[in-house]
Amino acid sequence: MIKVWAIVLALSATPLWGGEIISVDYAELAGRLPGLVDFEGFATMPEPGQSLPGPLRFHGMTLGAMLAGQTRHTVEGFETLTGHPSQPLAAQTGDKTATIAVAFHAGFGSNAAFPIGPNGFEHRSGRGEGALAFVFGHATPAFAIRLHADYPDPLGTRPKPGPVTFSFFDKTGDVIGRHTIHPDHGVNEVGVLIAPAAQAVTLTHRDPGGIAVDDIRFALPGLVN
């Protein structure tokens, strides 16, 4: 098996015409990325939990609903983001009073974050239907996240969850590349290598059941294993 960090070094040393996004194993990548946001610092509350104003600042990362300079649109109940981010890159909430809800999530067995969508925190249809923007204090060559797209469906009566798209931006706000997954029911693990390194990431999706995110991993300067 090719070691993940060997790929990181190869990408960083190789000139690229445009960006490159490579999917890798979450567990191996997470073990090498010291930056972590896991929402365990918030009170443990059953769903719907607590709504939190943004942007939310963590060590090495700021979390919002969009990037400054972008425009948020609602399409069939889901949030989409358009426009070139402004400088300097910054996470914003736009006109939202809250970016996420944090609650104990049975699927993860821990606290997780639900991006708040167009219908707002007060409605079940609003929790988990929003977009997210992650802005890093230092550009990261790798990113990993755990995502829950709906509870397991043993009878197979519900449709598969809708697609989730990650867009990666360099420090100028240009798009490095995009990575779309088609998640299964339950917990999905996503790990990617990014070249050039990403200063920001946005997440949009079209999953009718709503999503939750946890265990966000990224690089910190001088602290890569």
Side-chain angles (χ1 to χ4, degrees):
M1 180 178 63
I2 299 175
K3 290 297 184 181
V4 165
W5 228 245
I7 302 175
V8 171
L9 293 174
L11 287 176
S12 64
T14 304
L16 295 171
W17 293 101
E20 188 168 3
I21 310 296
I22 298 177
S23 179
V24 296
D25 179 71
Y26 172 92
E28 183 175 354
L29 190 58
R32 295 176 176 269
L33 293 174
L36 171 64
V37 173
D38 61 8
F39 307 103
E40 295 309 307
F42 296 97
T44 301
M45 302 171 62
E47 294 184 36
Q50 58 181 317
S51 64
L52 298 169
L56 302 177
R57 291 177 173 81
F58 304 93
H59 178 54
M61 190 192 84
T62 303
L63 178 65
M66 58 193 293
L67 297 176
Q70 290 187 315
T71 301
R72 190 173 61 247
H73 305 276
T74 300
V75 179
E76 298 179 353
F78 301 99
E79 288 187 344
T80 62
L81 302 174
T82 61
H84 193 281
S86 57
Q87 293 288 305
L89 292 183
Q92 290 191 344
T93 59
D95 58 358
K96 286 186 174 184
T97 58
T99 302
I100 62 173
V102 172
F104 181 84
H105 191 285
F108 286 118
S110 62
N111 276 356
F114 302 76
I116 296 175
N119 290 341
F121 172 76
E122 295 77 14
H123 304 281
R124 175 64 188 88
S125 58
R127 298 188 292 273
E129 304 292 358
L132 289 172
F134 314 80
V135 177
F136 307 106
H138 295 82
T140 180
F143 175 78
I145 191 170
R146 300 175 73 220
L147 180 145
H148 195 283
D150 200 354
Y151 285 95
D153 180 26
L155 299 179
T157 57
R158 297 195 303 271
K160 285 183 66 65
V164 178
T165 298
F166 298 89
S167 299
F168 299 88
F169 299 84
D170 66 18
K171 63 182 180 181
T172 71
D174 288 341
V175 175
I176 298 167
R178 292 187 170 89
H179 179 64
T180 297
I181 67 167
H182 296 271
D184 295 320
H185 294 284
V187 175
N188 297 261
E189 296 183 335
V190 179
V192 294
L193 305 178
I194 315 144
Q199 194 72 54
V201 181
T202 61
L203 181 161
T204 56
H205 73 96
R206 298 179 63 84
D207 179 24
I211 64 167
V213 299
D214 198 8
D215 299 325
I216 304 160
R217 295 275 189 173
F218 49 93
L220 292 173
L223 293 174
V224 175
N225 295 322

